[in-house]
Amino acid sequence: MSPLGTRPRGAATANAVAGSVEATVELDLVVKGGTVVTSGSRFAADVGIRDGKIVRLGDGLEGAELVDAANMLVLPGGVDMHVHLTPAEVAEGTFAWADDFLSGSRAAAAGGITTVGNMTFPRPGEGLLGALERTAVEAESIVDFVLHPVLLDATEDAIAEVSLLPAHGHRSLKIFMVLTGFDANAEAFLRAMQEAGQAGVLTLVHCEDGCLVSYLAQKLVSEGRGHASNYPAARPVYTESVAVSRAVAFSEASGAPIYLVHISSRAALEVAHEARARGLPVYVETRPDYLHYTDEKLAGADAALYTGVPPLRSEDDRRALWAGLATGAVQTCCTDHAPWLRAQKLDPAVDVSNMPNGLAELDIMLPLLFSEGVVSGRLSLERFVEVTATNAARLFGLYPAKGTVAVGSDADLVVWDPQASTTIRAEDAFSKADYSIYEGWEVKGVPRYTISRGEVIFAEGEIRADPGRGRLVWCDSVAAL
Ligand SMILES: [Zn+2]
């Protein structure tokens, strides 16, 4: 049923022909001498790989190829279920993020991420399944990927497609409460969410109140306060928390599980946490910039460089998100990678009502979270793995093929050097974004090798993968957390 996990026969044959495979061992690749870390354990083991899957964990394994992991950690590759990569063809006049699937997936691989989930927008007149099929063909990803169809218009036709998604290997649906079409047709979106829940599809919800953020932005512009330095006033915390309250109520009314993308504030997190405490299937994602910066960065002339939706928040919010990651109130950290060029961000013609929001995070999310989380003592190694790989894999129906290091799982691994330090430079990144908000940050802990279904796709700073080798992942039934 799943298209995953079977390596092209040609690749396996090539390795066998290359020689040195003992008939009794028959391993294509061994990741040797490292410490394997999963969400629940850590142990010294070689990882033996054949046909793209982990087939053995143990001592003294030999294979056709070796990756030396001495003094390294061997982690499941990151599972980042929130990216915005531009498909190959973009209609005239529509905006496009700086990264396509090729550059974005190279950034992912260099950053230790082996599976991405892309927000997939139908074109005018195109259905959900049509958008998914087109994007799957266009995507030249080098890592495996999931496609989340975006429900822009909750038409009867689109709602009817929701229940068909699982039969095509899709288990997710994205809704933007912030878009003006949401309030105008909220009852239809609620029915779509109900259909999703009944079909075993997880609804991702962008929680900001569209009416409020539109009203506030227009008000600021009309007062001559449209500059990005007024961005926090355009989208204050209450515009997020009120939307989270409503999304939770939608979940409660419909019985549908919901995944709240990019939660940024203590108030929003508390609403979600209270819902979870009552047993509602509500899951929380946060994003790197909220962990590493506060709204201080939105005060200056270059504020626009730091804008995503929702905006950076206070130090108290930042602390709440770190605490949530550590204690379990936040289930995943994903990038929401939505990169732009510096000139686009700083275009004097844009204001708080229409600015290009989003940040480049794929190259650096894991090193930053490791450095600021694990090295700084905020997160255990196991928890790091859980929030960057295992939980997302479980929630989106990818586990145990993805999100863990176990016999039978896909050999999606990152060999992590916990001692090495590096300085973040946009010019070193594989993303096409030409700046990084983290320029000059020193981080400790870097990916040395990234392995996708048994193929080393990133090694010692270089990408070693052909465009399009990544596959659309078939999502099986989603798990509750
Ligand atoms: Zn997003």
Side-chain angles (χ1 to χ4, degrees):
M1 178 168 65
S2 166
L4 263 191
T6 42
R7 185 168 166 159
R9 296 313 306 169
T13 307
N15 278 332
V17 170
S20 83
V21 182
E22 295 173 28
T24 52
V25 179
E26 295 178 353
L27 297 175
D28 300 329
L29 177 67
V30 172
V31 179
K32 199 162 181 62
T35 299
V36 173
V37 184
T38 70
S39 64
S41 62
R42 68 178 90 174
F43 51 93
D46 299 343
V47 181
I49 296 160
R50 186 172 61 205
D51 292 343
K53 294 210 175 262
I54 298 170
V55 294
R56 290 184 64 183
L57 293 168
D59 290 333
L61 303 186
E62 298 297 334
E65 295 176 61
L66 289 183
V67 167
D68 180 7
N71 303 314
M72 308 261 184
L73 305 172
V74 181
L75 315 176
V79 178
D80 175 10
M81 282 293 101
H82 190 164
V83 303
H84 296 266
L85 305 178
T86 303
E89 290 175 31
V90 177
E92 277 280 301
T94 56
F95 68 85
W97 286 282
D99 280 319
D100 55 21
F101 274 82
L102 182 55
S103 61
S105 64
R106 283 175 170 159
I113 291 166
T114 50
T115 311
V116 297
N118 192 63
M119 302 305 164
T120 304
F121 292 80
R123 292 176 179 163
E126 191 175 48
L128 300 180
L129 287 166
L132 296 170
E133 284 168 19
R134 170 181 51 80
T135 307
V137 170
E138 288 178 351
E140 288 194 297
S141 181
I142 69 163
V143 300
D144 289 344
F145 57 96
V146 168
L147 300 176
H148 309 300
V150 176
L151 187 66
L152 285 175
D153 298 314
T155 61
E156 293 308 317
D157 284 352
I159 294 172
E161 279 192 291
V162 171
S163 61
L164 304 177
L165 293 170
H168 295 264
H170 304 288
R171 291 278 180 175
S172 52
L173 180 73
K174 176 77 182 284
I175 287 176
F176 288 86
M177 295 178 78
V178 72
L179 296 181
T180 46
F182 180 83
D183 276 324
N185 207 10
E187 190 267 342
F189 280 96
L190 176 55
R191 279 191 290 118
M193 193 183 283
Q194 176 183 298
E195 285 290 320
Q198 288 174 350
V201 169
L202 180 60
T203 302
L204 298 83
V205 191
H206 176 129
C207 292
E208 286 183 299
D209 187 280
C211 167
L212 288 170
V213 298
S214 167
Y215 169 82
L216 290 169
Q218 293 306 327
K219 186 159 171 267
L220 286 164
V221 171
S222 70
E223 293 167 353
R225 300 171 62 213
H227 186 265
S229 56
N230 296 304
Y231 190 55
R235 307 175 100 102
V237 164
Y238 64 79
T239 62
E240 180 184 40
S241 59
V242 72
V244 171
S245 292
R246 196 171 180 209
V248 165
F250 271 42
S251 170
E252 189 159 10
S254 65
I258 54 172
Y259 177 92
L260 307 176
V261 296
H262 54 51
I263 290 297
S264 68
S265 63
R266 179 185 291 278
L269 181 56
E270 284 178 352
V271 174
H273 188 57
E274 185 271 341
R276 285 178 57 78
R278 289 192 291 123
L280 293 177
V282 174
Y283 307 107
V284 176
E285 171 197 279
T286 195
R287 191 173 72 190
D289 56 316
Y290 303 140
L291 299 170
H292 306 304
Y293 282 126
T294 68
D295 52 10
E296 274 181 2
K297 290 289 177 189
L298 297 174
D302 65 350
L305 294 178
Y306 293 84
T307 58
V309 279
L312 292 166
R313 303 295 195 191
S314 71
E315 177 62 16
D316 179 61
D317 294 310
R318 193 175 81 92
R319 286 168 192 258
L321 293 169
W322 271 114
L325 271 183
T327 60
V330 176
Q331 283 77 51
T332 70
C333 184
C334 294
T335 59
D336 192 8
H337 181 83
W340 301 94
L341 303 179
R342 175 183 284 269
Q344 293 174 306
K345 286 291 231 179
L346 295 177
D347 182 348
V350 302
D351 60 40
V352 293
S353 70
N354 61 6
M355 55 177 42
N357 289 306
L359 299 164
E361 305 268 12
L362 269 169
D363 285 271
I364 49 69
M365 178 176 78
L366 292 186
L368 269 172
L369 192 67
F370 186 89
S371 195
E372 297 294 313
V374 179
V375 177
S376 298
R378 291 176 167 123
L379 302 176
S380 69
L381 257 180
E382 291 80 359
R383 185 68 188 151
F384 173 79
V385 167
E386 196 164 51
V387 299
T388 59
T390 315
N391 279 351
R394 286 184 188 276
L395 284 171
F396 289 87
L398 315 178
Y399 187 89
K402 310 290 191 191
T404 192
V405 182
V407 169
S409 295
D410 287 351
D412 286 7
L413 304 167
V414 54
V415 178
W416 192 273
D417 186 340
Q419 299 301 330
S421 295
T422 191
T423 304
I424 295 175
R425 305 265 179 231
E427 66 180 27
D428 297 335
F430 287 88
S431 168
K432 289 183 189 168
D434 57 357
Y435 80 99
S436 169
I437 61 170
Y438 307 105
E439 186 76 25
W441 274 56
E442 302 283 338
V443 294
K444 187 173 183 188
V446 298
R448 286 281 181 222
Y449 303 94
T450 303
I451 299 169
S452 168
R453 282 179 284 104
E455 191 177 334
V456 179
I457 59 171
F458 172 79
E460 301 291 357
E462 287 182 15
I463 296 292
R464 301 180 181 177
D466 294 332
R469 69 159 294 285
R471 295 183 193 165
L472 178 65
V473 185
W474 185 283
C475 301
D476 282 318
S477 58
V478 295
L481 283 181

